[in-house]
Amino acid sequence: MSFDYTLIGKRIRKARENKGLTQEKLAEQLDVSNAYISKIERGRTPVNLERLSEICVVLEETPEYILGGTNSAANDFLRNEIIDMLEGCPPGKIKLIAQIVKHIIEYDGKQS
């Protein structure tokens, strides 16, 4: 199994921002450099399990969410995963996705 460290980094950044922490404050709490946190958040440096555990404790987030974007304790985990996937998409692609989603939502499943 391989991990997308760019997505992992985005989730860490999002959790850090939700906690109101700067990269500097997170680095200080973990006793690492600010550059290291920046590299993790940009997906440039893979994070090992021990460090991931420490990050999760500080950010009060689950490893399940950081690694996979899901958190079985949260009711909206799929909604959050979709939002994460849309982040950074160009406007044209978002418009196409919206059109597809609209058709899926409006589909009633009845065959004529």
Side-chain angles (χ1 to χ4, degrees):
M1 171 184 232
S2 66
F3 292 105
D4 184 338
Y5 290 103
T6 302
L7 275 177
I8 290 170
K10 284 181 181 181
R11 291 183 194 116
I12 290 172
R13 184 187 74 236
K14 184 177 178 181
R16 175 183 57 75
E17 290 172 346
N18 287 343
K19 283 282 290 180
L21 293 174
T22 63
Q23 285 184 345
E24 293 82 9
K25 288 290 184 188
L26 179 58
E28 185 179 300
Q29 291 187 30
L30 296 171
D31 196 28
V32 298
S33 71
N34 182 43
Y36 178 69
I37 297 299
S38 176
K39 287 179 185 177
I40 288 174
E41 289 187 359
R42 289 182 289 126
R44 302 290 185 253
T45 298
V47 59
N48 65 39
L49 292 177
E50 183 178 342
R51 185 64 70 195
L52 176 66
S53 177
E54 294 169 351
I55 290 169
C56 288
V57 168
V58 171
L59 298 179
E60 298 176 356
E61 195 54 78
T62 65
E64 181 181 30
Y65 168 72
I66 298 296
L67 292 175
T70 60
N71 185 348
S72 56
N75 292 332
D76 287 339
F77 72 91
L78 285 176
R79 185 182 313 265
N80 292 335
E81 182 68 7
I82 291 168
I83 291 168
D84 285 347
M85 287 188 282
L86 292 174
E87 199 170 295
C89 281
K93 194 175 270 189
I94 290 176
K95 183 177 180 180
L96 175 62
I97 293 167
Q99 290 170 348
I100 293 168
V101 169
K102 181 179 179 189
H103 287 293
I104 292 169
I105 290 171
E106 292 172 350
Y107 177 72
D108 64 7
K110 296 178 184 173
Q111 298 292 324
S112 30

